[in-house]
Amino acid sequence: MEYEHVLVDGFGRHIEDLRISLTDRCNFRCVYCMPEEGMQWLNRDTILTIDEIERLARIAVDLGIREIRLTGGEPTLRPDLPAIVERLAPIPGLKSLSLTTNGFLLDRLAEPLAKAGLTRINVSLDTLNHEKFHQITRRPALDKVLAGLETLERYPSISPIKLNVVGMRHFTEDEVVGFAKLARRKPYVVRFIEFMPLDADGNWERERVLSGDEIKEIVERDFMPLVPVQAEASSTSRRYRFADGVGEIGFINPVSQPFCATCNRIRLTADGQLRTCLFSVDEWDLRTPLRSGATNDEIRAILRNAVAHKELKHQINEGDAFQRASRSMSQIGG
Ligand code: SAM
Ligand code: SF4
């Protein structure tokens, strides 16, 4: 079968970024993501194996995927995470392999991950205050995450270290200057992300979104002016450096300034379903064909067809037209 080595959607967007969720389970229960109890877990036999993940990743890279991010749930809960990194990192044509984690297990995993070939990481951290950390993640674990970050700094092959901070009104405002200082004191790029309606509890309210512009205003008012840094067109992050040149900070504003027009992402859930948008209501099953003898060409055809149907944009700002995604953030792979 003839196929082009590019994934292009119906709106001409070139898809180059694949997020692979390794599990839907997590050792935290962040309030904006999961309920304290009562999450329905995926049946373990539906979770893709390391061999299945590698096969799909190779096919995707062959079709033009250039960046793969491993996520979850909490990807570090998978005992074979370093082995997965070791299998994916050397795929010819893959330019970047990264991991998004809550950092809880990084104190012991930083070394095996660096040895396995991981070069980029995002650690989620919403507060530098112990009580607030417990409140937002429902776990008293700030020290353990900070220890993980310290350990990570000993492995400069993993760089940059990005910190993801979900901006929530009445929670994040008094964290902003602390994170700005951290972005200067440490080799970290801090990125504030707007709260999206992807929480399993369905408690999202627009009023709780602290926008990137509001956070930027706090930085400039209470700390120091910011200077824009040129970013790639498909970058979701608006990047700034501090006026004195030390450190960088970024804003990911999917709610107040949607970047759907340049979105180049697709996502694979831990149970092998392809999603072409965070807010998709439909998925494309790859697990069944994978497990019933489909050829690589058949899998390629499913990927290309799915991408051809990628949604134009999310509808968070379109009132009643907005339909919640068919899964919540931890089940999709953020
Ligand atoms: N467990 C890992 C972690 O927390 O980094 C990886 C998965 S988590 C779903 C990926 C990212 O999604 C994290 O940075 C998290 O803060 C973010 N996230 C989760 N729920 C969100 C929501 N409702 N709105 C915006 N970001 C969210
Ligand atoms: Fe777990 Fe990450 Fe969701 Fe927090 S944001 S509950 S760490 S999956």
Side-chain angles (χ1 to χ4, degrees):
M1 188 170 55
E2 275 295 303
Y3 53 85
E4 295 164 32
H5 288 255
V6 269
L7 292 168
V8 186
D9 77 5
F11 304 97
R13 294 171 295 193
H14 287 226
I15 305 307
E16 297 194 332
D17 183 326
L18 171 66
R19 311 277 156 121
I20 302 180
S21 172
L22 299 181
T23 176
D24 60 329
R25 300 188 184 228
C26 190
N27 41 6
F28 286 7
R29 292 288 181 276
C30 303
V31 295
Y32 50 72
C33 182
M34 279 198 190
E36 182 147 29
E37 285 174 15
M39 201 70 193
Q40 287 288 315
W41 306 116
L42 292 172
N43 187 328
R44 286 187 192 269
D45 346 314
T46 65
I47 305 288
L48 297 188
T49 65
I50 182 170
D51 291 331
E52 291 167 334
I53 292 168
E54 182 187 357
R55 182 172 171 211
L56 284 180
R58 284 184 180 275
I59 293 173
V61 173
D62 192 33
L63 283 171
I65 291 294
R66 294 290 164 259
E67 294 187 36
I68 292 182
R69 171 172 299 282
L70 303 174
T71 180
E74 179 46 43
T76 58
L77 293 184
R78 256 187 91 142
D80 56 356
L81 175 63
I84 294 173
V85 169
E86 204 163 49
R87 295 262 202 112
L88 302 194
I91 295 180
L94 184 64
K95 287 196 193 140
S96 161
L97 178 68
S98 55
L99 175 74
T100 301
T101 171
N102 62 26
F104 186 76
L105 294 173
L106 273 184
D107 50 352
R108 66 177 159 84
L109 279 174
E111 181 179 356
L113 287 171
K115 284 192 173 147
L118 187 75
T119 53
R120 301 168 78 92
I121 197 159
N122 286 39
V123 180
S124 302
L125 179 62
D126 302 310
T127 166
L128 300 168
N129 171 292
H130 285 89
E131 270 169 38
K132 284 174 77 181
F133 187 95
H134 193 168
Q135 186 191 335
I136 199 104
T137 63
R138 302 190 177 105
R139 299 288 184 269
L142 176 59
D143 283 337
K144 183 107 158 77
V145 173
L146 294 177
L149 283 167
E150 291 284 332
T151 312
L152 203 54
E153 284 177 49
R154 299 209 288 271
Y155 299 92
S157 61
I158 306 183
S159 161
I161 299 172
K162 292 186 179 169
L163 294 190
N164 287 357
V165 186
V166 176
M168 298 185 77
R169 194 174 304 287
H170 310 311
F171 185 89
T172 308
E173 292 87 338
D174 56 3
E175 298 289 331
V176 171
V177 170
F179 276 113
K181 288 182 177 165
L182 195 67
R184 295 160 57 77
R185 201 172 68 240
K186 293 280 196 178
Y188 306 156
V189 176
V190 173
R191 295 155 7 127
F192 292 94
I193 304 175
E194 290 176 350
F195 177 31
M196 290 180 277
L198 288 165
D199 54 319
D201 282 333
N203 286 334
W204 182 87
E205 284 172 7
R206 188 169 298 274
E207 204 279 316
R208 299 286 335 258
V209 180
L210 185 66
S211 73
D213 277 356
E214 288 174 280
I215 296 176
K216 180 166 168 280
E217 254 177 62
I218 299 177
V219 177
E220 297 202 299
R221 185 192 67 210
D222 296 348
F223 191 57
M224 193 184 300
L226 296 170
V227 180
V229 175
Q230 200 59 38
E232 280 179 32
S234 63
S235 169
T236 54
S237 168
R238 289 166 186 257
R239 296 169 51 190
Y240 294 86
R241 58 183 174 74
F242 293 95
D244 69 354
V246 183
E248 184 180 318
I249 199 163
F251 302 94
I252 301 178
N253 303 339
V255 180
S256 66
Q257 293 167 324
F259 35 78
C260 306
T262 55
C263 176
N264 67 350
R265 270 157 229 103
I266 52 175
R267 295 180 149 81
L268 181 67
T269 65
D271 58 343
Q273 308 300 304
L274 191 79
R275 297 176 64 90
T276 48
C277 174
L278 262 178
F279 293 91
S280 289
V281 287
D282 296 313
E283 299 177 341
W284 303 80
D285 181 16
L286 288 171
R287 186 185 73 243
T288 308
L290 263 182
R291 291 185 179 176
S292 52
T295 62
N296 284 359
D297 274 346
E298 284 164 344
I299 307 264
R300 278 187 191 101
I302 299 172
L303 273 165
R304 294 192 61 200
N305 187 34
V307 163
H309 289 88
K310 181 173 161 67
E311 297 80 346
L312 174 61
K313 57 180 181 163
H314 70 61
Q315 297 183 308
I316 302 176
N317 301 316
E318 292 175 27
D320 291 344
F322 175 66
Q323 216 183 332
R324 281 189 68 100
S326 57
R327 303 197 198 203
S328 61
M329 191 63 135
S330 64
Q331 299 166 320
I332 297 169

